[in-house]
Amino acid sequence: MSRMTDRPLPGAGVAAAAPGPLSTAVGPEPVKSAPSGAGRGTPRPGRGGPAGRRSPLARGGWTPWLYLAPALVVIGGLLVYPVYQLGLISFLEYTQAQVSGGEPTSFQGFGNYAALFRDEQFWQVLLATVVFAGACVVSTLAVGCALAVLLTRVRAVPRLALMLAALGAWATPAVTGSTVWLLLFDPDFGPVNRILGLGDHSWTYGRYSAFALVLLEVVWCSFPFVMVTVYAGIRAVPSEVLEAASLDGASQWRIWRSVLAPMLRPILVVVTIQSVIWDFKVFTQIYVMTNGGGIAGQNLTLNVYAYQKAFASSQYGLGSAIGVVMLLILLAVTLVYLRLLRRQGEEL
Amino acid sequence: MSSVTSRESTPSGKFAAAASSPGSAGPARPVQPPGFVRNLVRRSVRRPWRLAAEVSALLIAAVVAFPLYWMVLSAFKPAGEIESTQPRPWTLSPSLDSFRRVFGQQEFGRYFLNSLVVAVTVVAVSALIAFLAATAVTRFRFRFRTTLLIMFLVAQMVPIEALTIPLFFQMRDFGQLNTLGALILPHIAFSLPFAIWMLRGFVKAVPEALEEAAYIDGASRTRFLWQILFPLVFPGLVATSVFSFISAWNDFLFAKSFIISDTSQSTLPMALLVFYKPDDPDWGGVMAGSTVMTIPVLIFFVLVQRRLVSGLGGAVKD
Amino acid sequence: MKLAHLSARMAAPIAALVVAGLTATACAPESSDNSGGKDEKSGTLRVWLFQEVTNAPKEKVVDDVVTAFEKAHKGTKVDVQYIPVETRAEKIKAAFNDPKSAPDLIEYGNTDTAGYVKDGGLADVSEEFTDWSESKDTDPTAKQSVTVDGKIYGAPYFVGVRALYYRTDIFDDLGLDVPKTQEELISTAKEIRQAKPDLYGLAVGGAYTYGAMPFIWSNGGEIAEGKGGSYASTIDSAAAQKGIKAYTSLFGDDNCPAAKCAGMGGNDTVTAFASGKAAMAIGGDFSHAAIEAGKVKGKYKVVPLPGVKSGEIAPAFAGGNNLGVLRSTTHRTLAVDLMEQLASKKTQGALFDAMGFLPTFTDVRQDVAKREPFVEPFVKTLGAGAKFVPASPAWSQIDASLVLPTMFQEVVSGRKDVEAASKDAAKKMNDAFSSAG
């Protein structure tokens, strides 16, 4: 694996993507005939603009739709249509009895939604979900970015070790990861309490310690994505920029804050949006680690709550309503985030 | 190569760093492979700092790997030792019993093969479809382009658990229940939006000049797409395929919902679930099964690691 | 593309989605036709049984029955599949939803009976069951577990029941007698904890519903009362509250610290006992193997869980599995016949020898208790009258939404007193009963 460090990376970084594999694909001419990138201070701005304004492909007529067709068919048929059905079912009384034909379906209007919003617990769970997901996103991003920077500061062996460990965490199925973490923190059989000298302290009894434990597991299995992505991004940053910064005597934090972070913004936007989407929908970890929502339901999050309320007992109508509410919340969060970005002049 | 352009002075340049020339961004100054890394290591980070960084990297790696180690260890512990009040980070009498229970299941090899078929098909098909779609949304301007982009983002927010019910009926109507198709089709659909979203940046990164040049040279659009663009975007495809591979490989939800009555179409996670018995869970079996499931993904990861890093780096930039 | 028009553009598809839901209500996924209709006398019978962790002995017993059955019915093939217990809910519901891939005969958990009947999945076999010569010896509790509204929807396959495991070495060491009443049980537990502070006296769990129910039942309480579809919860009655108080008094530093025990389920308490962390535990006949594999092998005995008065046995929850014929079957006669063969006295006896599952026939049970003294306390417990959860389709919903564990945990963690917690639980149950109709 040490090859990683001393061989050129095909496609590491934007600019490099062009000359590397290209020359093998079509011979040397394109390199010569690609003068637009030469002579510029840094390669990035050359292609940073909106896509294809001057591209010969731009006026493709029906071509883009031809390219899009398979994706649209699959997504339309297997994603959009089921979502449409989800919305539909959320307005019906729809339980297993209706599904298997035991009882007729009946239209409920906003009945399922009204029942949901009347439920005091729903609002508590909603608050807990937003706070918990927020904490997960922030911790994951912080850990991921810090370790990405750390990766760039070390030689091959420690880097490889950390990279492999992270990939291992990434590869572990969620059910297994949750079970292992639970075994590790078990008050009687787990090694963690032994190491920390906590006796038989129970991690799942207190509301916050239980959430903290789940948060640790979520961070463990989701930081690798952030770390690898940001690390890849840092490697793509032109070295001159960083050299200049470090020659100016800037501290590591200053370099991150004023040089790296702004340059990595597109990457950070993507990992943030993905983390929000994933952490808001955390299901397996809560379900397995707190045994279906914790002591007296103290650790319920929206997705688990939906499952307990609806899918475990086949009240598909109510479950669909919760699904729709979740979708709308996620949508709102992402919209607000994208708007904030737009205000800072970022593009989609 | 005397006329090295600035492009080569990026991390993937092939030449050793001229360590003495201080940071001028002169166009003819080639840089060593992970140029930034090397430079930082050589200049900005003094030795004790680097040592501290490396020690902490190793420590963190150990902490991150510990749960995995515990999983493998528990799989090898003999019956009863997992639930010992004196947890030891080793075992004196490693046993293969748990693995025997895993492999001794009905048609275990078949489950493994099924999982592989599903994951590989999903990866291949969704990569192809996503490549075409990403090309369309980045290299063309057309009406509804932004609407589509947003739709791809929104599509990722759908809670999968909630969709199994409508999807079940759809699979039933397609006659796909009890076939691997019932797993492959929804997984392709669920991995596409993310794949397109990730690939977008990577396709965008290929210079337009290249395209012009290709057409000037008489290449057709199809030829450009498959012989020029596709190889360039390939690392990005690898990066996105990691996601579709993991989600398809680790999936319990669709497998337990759509493979109803034909166990010959079952996948690996189903073989794992057998050990989660409500009354008497078999932790040794769970850990052994998980180990067996995780290893192929790890191998896949190690194989694509290099491309994963470069792919992600390219894919998320614009 | 700038983000300026983002929200406007995004609003359109979302609005469309919502409106679509409002207007197009007529085309929800169509219901499945589960009526079956035909009754073919040959062909392939599909059977689903639960997959046990060590499944081979079970397969052998089943294979013997199947071979004999195929011999007796020319032109009939039996295809047996073993499905994981963990995912049975999805599978069986899916089978109701897609009769094409559904089996003819299934094994199912007895708490699911009412739910499956309401889903329209199980066939009413009252007539055949009554005509079946062996059925007269079926234990009444087991029969109750296949009965909904007076109709019978299957044949009991085996029962599972819980009793008190205790450590003989510790009892000898401290010179303690085996508790004869519930009060003694509680005081003995606390005595042990005081003498050996690193042990739980009696391992209890806030999420261990079926370990807690005997305390409520022995005090005269009930989960719910009623007939047919109209149940009303009585978990907040004075008697039930007394039982809840007795059970929850076992949580605390003087027996089983709330911080650890509030979250435990049945399996956790058995694990604690097996690993030598507890002097007593409420475990099932099915926990035997796990405990034998643990540290306490050879150092424990089992007695029926004592009731309130001396000599009484606290009513235990009669768990277990049933066999049932699906309503969608096209081989009804054959399927019912195979069900009777698989649940016959002979097969249940063989299944006990192979797997240790307790038979549902009183006479067969007596026989096996003679052969295997270990099961005696469990057979005794069953003989004293075990109890069952309300035969309402709402039960699976109540179970899944953790109403009872939540109640115990609220009391144990000091969030609510017994009265408030039981009143809340009763309200939630009644909501479920009324919505499940």
Side-chain angles (χ1 to χ4, degrees), chain A residues 173-187:
Chain A
V175 179
T176 313
S178 311
T179 312
V180 176
W181 275 76
L182 215 48
L183 283 180
L184 285 175
F185 283 79
D186 190 282

Side-chain angles (χ1 to χ4, degrees), chain B:
Chain B
M1 245 164 107
S2 56
S3 65
V4 186
T5 62
S6 68
R7 203 175 291 119
E8 268 86 3
S9 65
T10 59
S12 71
K14 291 173 187 167
F15 304 98
S20 56
S21 74
S24 66
R29 203 189 55 76
V31 175
Q32 178 120 7
F36 160 54
V37 178
R38 282 296 174 97
N39 282 321
L40 274 181
V41 165
R42 287 212 182 147
R43 302 204 194 110
S44 15
V45 186
R46 272 158 279 140
R47 285 198 165 270
W49 276 108
R50 189 179 71 183
L51 199 66
E54 293 188 339
V55 169
S56 47
L58 285 174
L59 277 179
I60 293 168
V63 169
V64 171
F66 191 69
L68 289 171
Y69 169 70
W70 202 257
M71 171 180 88
V72 178
L73 176 73
S74 305
F76 281 107
K77 279 186 173 180
E81 207 182 303
I82 296 175
E83 280 134 7
S84 146
T85 44
Q86 301 297 317
R88 278 177 311 198
W90 64 84
T91 177
L92 294 177
S93 44
S95 136
L96 288 173
D97 285 353
S98 302
F99 287 97
R100 272 193 206 108
R101 286 199 298 282
V102 171
F103 290 115
Q105 281 192 49
Q106 277 179 313
E107 304 186 78
F108 183 86
R110 183 76 195 248
Y111 298 165
F112 196 94
L113 203 67
N114 285 343
S115 273
L116 208 61
V117 168
V118 170
V120 169
T121 316
V122 168
V123 164
V125 175
S126 67
L128 278 184
I129 298 182
F131 167 65
L132 285 175
T135 307
V137 292
T138 43
R139 308 203 70 94
F140 294 90
R141 299 186 70 74
F142 53 93
R143 282 194 66 180
F144 305 121
R145 197 183 72 94
T146 309
T147 314
L148 271 178
L149 276 177
I150 307 262
M151 198 193 83
F152 292 142
L153 189 62
V154 173
Q156 295 174 52
M157 300 174 192
V158 180
I160 300 183
E161 288 86 1
L163 274 200
T164 43
I165 293 142
L167 273 174
F168 176 88
F169 293 108
Q170 235 180 319
M171 290 301 127
R172 183 184 71 181
D173 297 343
F174 288 174
Q176 290 294 312
L177 288 180
N178 288 323
T179 68
L180 293 182
L183 305 182
I184 293 170
L185 286 174
H187 274 300
I188 293 175
F190 275 91
S191 55
L192 268 185
F194 179 74
I196 297 172
W197 191 250
M198 291 287 283
L199 270 182
R200 206 173 49 100
F202 211 88
V203 178
K204 220 190 242 180
V206 176
E208 289 142 21
L210 201 62
E211 228 171 288
E212 285 159 21
Y215 295 141
I216 290 165
D217 286 357
S220 70
R221 189 172 277 157
T222 319
R223 191 173 121 84
F224 170 76
L225 192 67
W226 294 111
Q227 294 193 350
I228 302 175
L229 198 54
F230 188 78
L232 286 178
V233 177
F234 192 71
L237 282 173
V238 171
T240 53
S241 68
V242 164
F243 292 88
S244 33
F245 186 89
I246 290 185
S247 69
W249 182 264
N250 287 350
D251 165 70
F252 289 82
L253 194 66
F254 292 158
K256 69 184 184 183
S257 312
F258 301 150
I259 304 298
I260 313 167
S261 58
D262 192 351
T263 43
S264 70
Q265 303 291 302
S266 235
T267 53
L268 270 190
M270 304 306 289
L272 180 59
L273 278 181
V274 170
F275 297 101
Y276 280 99
K277 294 236 311 170
D279 280 330
D280 182 21
D282 173 0
W283 296 129
V286 168
M287 294 305 151
S290 307
T291 307
V292 173
M293 260 185 75
T294 310
I295 285 170
V297 189
L298 259 183
I299 293 174
F300 178 73
F301 256 140
V302 170
L303 287 180
V304 304
Q305 182 203 18
R306 225 154 39 88
R307 291 188 176 275
L308 176 68
V309 171
S310 54
L312 284 174
V316 290
K317 311 209 73 173
D318 50 37

Side-chain angles (χ1 to χ4, degrees), chain A:
Chain A
M1 266 297 123
S2 59
R3 283 180 308 153
M4 226 186 102
T5 52
D6 33 57
R7 272 193 36 194
L9 287 155
V14 179
L22 173 74
S23 33
T24 58
V26 286
E29 302 97 316
V31 177
K32 272 188 259 157
S33 62
S36 65
R40 290 173 195 238
T42 57
R44 258 187 92 249
R47 311 162 241 290
R53 193 173 299 140
R54 288 158 294 125
S55 164
L57 279 179
R59 295 167 298 277
W62 286 104
T63 318
W65 292 105
L66 196 69
Y67 289 179
L68 274 168
L72 290 182
V73 167
V74 174
I75 294 178
L78 291 162
L79 213 60
V80 177
Y81 182 70
V83 167
Y84 159 75
Q85 293 242 311
L86 185 77
L88 207 64
I89 293 173
S90 75
F91 292 99
L92 303 176
E93 173 175 9
Y94 205 64
T95 67
Q96 184 59 43
Q98 274 81 28
V99 177
S100 35
E103 285 171 21
T105 341
S106 68
F107 181 62
Q108 293 280 301
F110 283 94
N112 288 320
Y113 292 92
L116 191 62
F117 295 146
R118 264 202 313 273
D119 189 350
E120 215 177 291
Q121 204 186 0
F122 167 75
W123 298 103
Q124 287 170 17
V125 170
L126 181 60
L127 181 70
T129 309
V130 171
V131 174
F132 175 72
C136 283
V137 172
V138 172
S139 323
T140 309
L141 289 178
V143 171
C145 292
L147 293 185
V149 173
L150 183 65
L151 275 183
T152 61
R153 301 295 141 90
V154 298
R155 278 172 298 185
V157 174
R159 181 166 61 236
L160 187 67
L162 185 49
M163 192 71 107
L164 280 182
L167 294 181
W170 195 351
T172 313
V175 179
T176 313
S178 311
T179 312
V180 176
W181 275 76
L182 215 48
L183 283 180
L184 285 175
F185 283 79
D186 190 282
D188 297 317
F189 316 123
V192 172
N193 279 9
R194 284 316 127 94
I195 295 169
L196 299 179
L198 284 171
D200 56 2
H201 170 75
S202 168
W203 288 81
T204 48
Y205 184 61
R207 185 174 195 214
Y208 298 108
S209 81
F211 266 133
L213 180 59
V214 178
L215 182 130
L216 278 180
E217 206 279 340
V218 171
V219 171
W220 177 73
C221 67
S222 46
F223 90 85
F225 163 68
V226 179
M227 183 186 84
V228 174
T229 313
V230 173
Y231 171 66
I234 296 178
R235 287 173 59 118
V237 169
S239 50
E240 297 86 354
V241 179
L242 291 150
E243 276 166 31
S246 63
L247 281 177
D248 286 350
S251 68
Q252 297 303 328
W253 171 246
R254 274 290 315 267
I255 294 181
W256 167 261
R257 188 76 198 79
S258 345
V259 183
L260 276 180
M263 296 196 78
L264 294 179
R265 202 204 238 127
I267 290 186
L268 294 176
V269 169
V270 170
V271 294
T272 308
I273 294 182
Q274 290 305 330
S275 295
V276 168
I277 292 174
W278 290 333
D279 291 347
F280 202 83
K281 295 196 294 184
V282 163
F283 177 84
T284 315
Q285 282 88 349
I286 292 272
Y287 194 80
V288 174
M289 297 182 75
T290 69
N291 196 10
I295 309 285
Q298 62 182 6
N299 297 114
L300 284 173
T301 56
L302 216 47
N303 222 348
V304 181
Y305 174 77
Y307 184 85
Q308 299 286 17
K309 271 273 162 198
F311 297 113
S313 49
S314 313
Q315 294 189 51
Y316 303 137
L318 188 58
S320 303
I322 301 179
V324 171
V325 169
M326 274 184 65
L327 190 57
L328 292 178
I329 293 172
L330 269 174
L331 210 59
V333 171
T334 317
L335 254 187
V336 169
Y337 184 72
L338 289 176
R339 285 214 125 186
L340 286 178
L341 285 177
R342 198 199 93 224
R343 233 171 255 162
Q344 296 169 2
E346 205 57 54
E347 291 172 0
L348 184 69

